[in-house]
Amino acid sequence: MYDFIIIGAGIVGLATGVKLLEKFPNSKLLIIDKEDKIAKHQTGNNSGVIHSGIYYKPNSLKAVNCIKGYKMLVEFCNKHNIKYDICGKLIVACNEKEIKSLQSLYNRGVENGLEGIKIIDKKELNKIEPNVSGEKGIYVPQTGIIDYKEVSAKFKEIIENGNGKFVFNCEITDITNSDNFITVSNKILTYSTKFLITCCGLYSDKIAEITNKKVNFRIIPFRGEYYSLLENKKGIIKNLIYPVPDPLFPFLGVHFTRKITGEMEAGPNAVLALKKEGYRKTDFSFKDTFNIFVWKGFRKVVYKYWIYGFLEFYRSFNKRSFVKSLQKLVPKINGADLINGGSGVRAQACDDNGNLLDDFYFIENKNIIHVCNAPSPAATSSLAIGEFIVEKLEKIVLKS
């Protein structure tokens, strides 16, 4: 019998474990994952950006937890000597339409409490990034870079030092919630707990469905593909350059990111993945694809975004098109400068009305909390999300 069980050893599950042991230091905690190690999927395959919070709707869970989590993450890294670099980034507008959106984005950043952000002209853009092309931009000094796998490893160390335990290679297939305790099990093993938190990323819908038969969302997997700049071309970009995001499409667009390792990435796009863990273009699962296409919410998504979806697929298979998108920001880039990089798969929740959920989303069921939608900036926000979950659990504990 455990006091708490967490299913999912990505950065949100790990951060929640850290915060649980801070609040309840004498409790028994178990973290279970179907993989053979921590941070195998979204955490281990993201671009490693410390997000400022400029993009998110004021007072939303994303905005509140990103701003709070940013500060907590930086303090954590300073305490534990984890390398990071607050290098700042540019959001670049290339035409009049984007300039109008730029002002709205700036206003949102100010409303979210970001200090030091400023709208800059073409001359100032080129002073920061000599090879960028744009009419105006926003300079965001808070943005940084980090290796979230290193952060996750430190979380794991802290949990184990606090007598928390891990079980790997254990895919949970059943959850039973009785009056006194919860059991979670696979085909061989069963564990019992007083409180359960699930942080299952790409499988958050399937796990939530076990205890909530009428879940009104599905996870739609979107693969993000990257190119890497050749070693002798890294000097073209200094830090991070982003386009102005299209307000009608819930992704940020291809951009340039310097990683903490010194590598320079270009991307990602946002392509529908036909397998939940489909990191390659050729990856396909009949079951996953069937479940996506029969979901009525997805059919409504297709109706709303089919043009964007077609363009993303085209850009995925046509390097010239990908490069053209990058050249809008940095004209000096050409196809010969880029080699195939890695990819990641984003777990994006979609409701039955065809809305791609734009905020973090949780489902509570007695003494169970399901983290159902935690895409970017979840890594930046992880410690704040963990604290948010612990506050919810405290209320449940007081009632019980």
Side-chain angles (χ1 to χ4, degrees):
M1 171 66 74
Y2 290 89
D3 296 302
F4 304 100
I5 288 179
I6 298 170
I7 305 176
I11 196 167
V12 173
L14 294 167
T16 302
V18 169
K19 287 298 175 182
L20 277 171
L21 291 176
E22 280 183 11
K23 190 67 181 180
F24 307 103
N26 297 317
S27 62
K28 293 179 66 179
L29 168 67
L30 178 67
I31 299 181
I32 301 171
D33 200 282
K34 70 181 181 64
E35 301 296 348
D36 59 355
K37 62 181 181 180
I38 64 169
K40 189 80 176 272
H41 293 292
Q42 291 186 103
T43 304
N45 293 289
N46 66 32
S47 57
V49 174
I50 303 175
H51 287 284
S52 66
I54 190 171
Y55 295 111
Y56 315 118
K57 184 179 179 181
N59 300 315
S60 65
L61 288 175
K62 275 191 178 183
V64 171
N65 285 283
C66 185
I67 301 299
K68 182 179 179 182
Y70 176 100
K71 295 174 183 176
M72 295 171 76
L73 177 64
V74 170
E75 288 173 4
F76 181 87
C77 292
N78 288 337
K79 180 178 179 180
H80 296 284
N81 297 313
I82 295 173
K83 185 180 179 181
Y84 68 95
D85 183 3
I86 305 301
C87 56
K89 82 171 180 183
L90 293 177
I91 303 172
V92 180
C94 298
N95 54 50
E96 283 299 319
K97 181 182 177 182
E98 291 179 351
I99 288 172
K100 290 180 181 178
S101 297
L102 197 75
Q103 185 63 52
S104 299
L105 196 58
Y106 172 80
N107 294 342
R108 178 168 283 191
V110 171
E111 196 169 347
N112 282 337
L114 299 186
E115 297 179 357
I117 64 171
K118 58 182 180 179
I119 294 180
I120 57 179
D121 60 20
K122 190 179 183 105
K123 184 178 179 181
E124 290 175 290
L125 278 173
N126 290 132
K127 187 175 180 181
I128 298 170
E129 290 282 358
N131 294 307
V132 77
S133 175
E135 298 303 315
K136 278 191 175 183
I138 300 176
Y139 175 62
V140 187
Q142 291 88 350
T143 303
I145 52 176
I146 196 169
D147 183 351
Y148 284 114
K149 287 184 285 187
E150 186 178 354
V151 177
S152 298
K154 179 56 69 172
F155 286 166
K156 181 175 184 286
E157 180 185 319
I158 290 169
I159 290 166
E160 289 177 325
N161 289 340
N163 295 316
K165 295 182 179 179
F166 287 82
V167 173
F168 295 105
N169 299 305
C170 181
E171 183 174 352
I172 297 302
T173 55
D174 191 38
I175 301 170
T176 303
N177 194 358
S178 68
D179 291 335
N180 299 317
F181 57 88
I182 304 159
T183 60
V184 299
S185 58
N186 62 9
K187 294 178 181 178
I188 302 171
L189 301 169
T190 297
Y191 302 95
S192 299
T193 183
K194 299 172 185 175
F195 302 96
L196 175 67
I197 306 100
T198 73
C199 307
C200 298
L202 288 157
Y203 292 91
S204 60
D205 53 349
K206 297 306 174 188
I207 293 295
E209 274 184 342
I210 298 174
T211 60
N212 302 268
K213 298 304 179 184
K214 292 185 179 180
V215 171
N216 67 339
F217 77 98
R218 290 288 187 278
I219 291 296
I220 307 298
F222 286 92
R223 184 175 59 255
E225 300 156 341
Y226 292 89
Y227 285 97
S228 294
L229 268 67
L230 293 173
E231 186 70 28
N232 62 346
K233 296 293 182 178
K234 289 180 181 178
I236 294 175
I237 311 298
K238 291 183 178 180
N239 290 305
L240 286 75
I241 304 173
Y242 282 59
V244 176
D246 188 331
L248 300 177
F249 192 55
F251 298 101
L252 296 180
V254 295
H255 48 268
F256 294 92
T257 305
R258 177 171 66 85
K259 297 178 74 72
I260 199 70
T261 57
E263 181 184 0
M264 189 67 69
E265 282 188 339
N269 50 9
V271 184
L272 176 67
L274 300 180
K275 183 179 181 181
K276 285 212 172 190
E277 292 162 5
Y279 294 101
R280 299 171 299 179
K281 292 181 176 69
T282 55
D283 285 343
F284 175 80
S285 162
F286 177 81
K287 181 181 178 181
D288 290 348
T289 303
F290 178 80
N291 287 336
I292 291 169
F293 279 85
V294 298
W295 174 242
K296 63 180 179 179
F298 176 73
R299 296 195 294 273
K300 293 177 182 179
V301 168
V302 172
Y303 180 77
K304 288 181 183 179
Y305 299 114
W306 71 269
I307 293 177
Y308 292 97
F310 174 79
L311 292 174
E312 291 292 326
F313 261 113
Y314 179 73
R315 189 162 56 183
S316 174
F317 286 92
N318 189 302
K319 184 177 181 180
R320 185 178 297 178
S321 177
F322 201 109
V323 172
K324 189 175 180 180
S325 297
L326 296 172
Q327 287 174 332
K328 183 180 174 184
L329 296 172
V330 180
K332 276 191 174 183
I333 291 292
N334 61 65
D337 300 331
L338 303 171
I339 56 174
N340 289 331
S343 65
V345 181
R346 168 179 171 147
Q348 175 61 58
C350 166
D351 69 18
D352 51 12
N353 292 317
N355 300 308
L356 297 177
L357 300 190
D358 192 41
D359 206 358
F360 298 149
Y361 178 54
F362 305 83
I363 291 178
E364 297 177 52
N365 185 337
K366 296 181 181 177
N367 44 354
I368 300 174
I369 297 175
H370 296 291
V371 181
C372 297
N373 191 54
S376 180
T380 304
S381 312
S382 58
L383 285 165
I385 294 172
E387 194 165 90
F388 177 80
I389 291 170
V390 171
E391 288 171 0
K392 284 180 173 291
L393 285 171
E394 278 188 282
K395 293 176 183 177
I396 297 171
V397 170
L398 288 172
K399 288 180 182 179
S400 61

